Amino acid sequence: MKVKDIVPRLGLDMLSGDADREISGCYVGDLLSWVMSHAQFDECWITIMSNINVVAVASLTDVACVIIAEGARPEENVIEAAKAKGVCLLLSEETVFSLAAEMAGLLKEKQAE
Amino acid sequence: MSDALRFHYDVDGENFTSAGEASAQVKKKLRQLGFSPDIIRRVSIAMYEGEINMVVHAGGGKADVFVYPENIEIVLEDSGPGIADVELAMKEGYSTAPDNVRALGFGAGMGLPNMKRYTDSMTVESELGVGTKIVMKVNV
């Protein structure tokens, strides 16, 4: 499953990054140090944080994409930083819970294939 | 021991949002040098946590990364207030970060524990009112 597969399924707004990046799992969290020690390479990270440090954490952990949930909006400099670092930023109005539930469903579907 | 590659960075204490620049640079350099993704991840996360700590607690500092044939050494030095109780500071969940830092998603008390977790050795030398020096090594 790729980023471009989840964008239409979850109704996401893609701001930056690589749509062909493979997604192998999902991680949810807002405490950046916690996320840094637990999120894995190629996972989709769902958070309500939208500040510039999100881009640094996403880049260091090398997650496949970041979904900024619940209508939170990153500022322009955050989007610029994401583009410069090749971090895939996705926006959603949905709650973290409902996005995580949908991701769980998609990942299960993928496993069953 | 042969000559090490050395990268030096000044960590700006005023600008919280630029924290992470040094670790991002190191990540890029290590990638160019052909290190494995696991090594790169460990070094860059440990360094990022250290950078954040220097910005939050010490008004900035300096970071040096040495690449030896057998390990990568990260040396972080600041002239901040020092750590009163290093053992306590190493405990997961213990934090003295102010609320504005917590609002940014930091201050979970995971910084030093993460640095220890991701490196093969770590020493903390700290003196109140003088500063803190942290040396971390990741075996390659």
Side-chain angles (χ1 to χ4, degrees):
Chain A
M1 183 164 66
K2 294 184 166 154
V3 170
K4 65 183 176 197
D5 301 319
I6 69 162
V7 167
R9 294 287 292 268
L10 272 58
L12 305 171
D13 189 5
M14 184 163 174
L15 300 182
S16 60
D18 176 8
D20 282 315
R21 186 83 190 260
E22 194 67 35
I23 298 172
S24 64
C26 184
Y27 189 81
V28 175
D30 304 318
L31 279 172
L32 300 184
S33 289
W34 195 273
V35 172
M36 246 190 303
S37 64
H38 291 80
Q40 300 298 317
F41 169 76
D42 271 356
E43 282 182 334
C44 163
W45 170 29
I46 307 173
T47 183
I48 54 160
M49 300 305 272
S50 60
N51 64 65
I52 192 142
N53 303 298
V54 166
V55 174
V57 170
S59 169
L60 292 174
T61 51
D62 214 0
V63 290
C65 59
V66 186
I67 304 178
I68 299 176
E70 315 207 359
R73 286 284 175 273
E75 290 187 13
E76 201 52 45
N77 66 324
V78 176
I79 301 167
E80 289 310 312
K83 284 179 180 163
K85 288 191 170 138
V87 167
C88 178
L89 284 187
L90 307 163
L91 298 185
S92 174
E93 299 292 326
E94 298 292 323
T95 64
V96 169
F97 175 76
S98 94
L99 289 164
E102 287 186 72
M103 276 304 296
L106 291 175
L107 287 164
K108 217 170 191 175
E109 248 178 62
K110 174 83 175 98
Q111 271 181 351
E113 271 172 22
Chain B
M1 191 180 286
S2 57
D3 287 342
L5 276 174
R6 179 187 176 206
F7 306 113
H8 176 82
Y9 304 94
D10 290 309
V11 179
D12 182 359
E14 297 300 309
N15 191 350
F16 195 82
T17 54
S18 73
E21 282 309 312
S23 37
Q25 290 293 323
V26 166
K27 186 182 174 182
K28 198 186 271 177
K29 294 246 163 69
L30 295 179
R31 192 182 277 158
Q32 285 165 354
L33 290 167
F35 284 98
S36 72
D38 178 58
I39 297 284
I40 295 171
R41 178 185 160 100
R42 290 169 59 204
V43 170
S44 52
I45 289 177
M47 190 164 164
Y48 183 57
E49 292 283 15
E51 264 189 88
I52 294 290
N53 276 350
M54 288 199 284
V55 174
V56 171
H57 298 289
K62 52 188 182 172
D64 287 282
V65 177
F66 301 89
V67 180
Y68 296 106
E70 63 275 23
N71 62 38
I72 297 168
E73 185 176 77
I74 307 154
V75 181
L76 306 170
E77 259 179 296
D78 68 58
S79 308
I83 303 168
D85 185 337
V86 172
E87 201 183 327
L88 185 59
M90 289 301 299
K91 282 205 172 120
E92 268 190 30
Y94 178 81
S95 173
T96 59
D99 283 347
N100 65 324
V101 170
R102 289 172 199 264
L104 289 169
F106 293 107
M110 293 286 292
L112 287 168
N114 271 354
M115 289 156 71
K116 190 173 173 65
R117 173 180 299 139
Y118 278 109
T119 55
D120 292 300
S121 77
M122 172 170 159
T123 59
V124 181
E125 288 169 39
S126 192
E127 196 176 333
L128 287 178
V130 177
T132 300
K133 180 180 180 182
I134 294 182
V135 179
M136 297 177 281
K137 286 178 187 167
V138 172
N139 297 335
V140 301

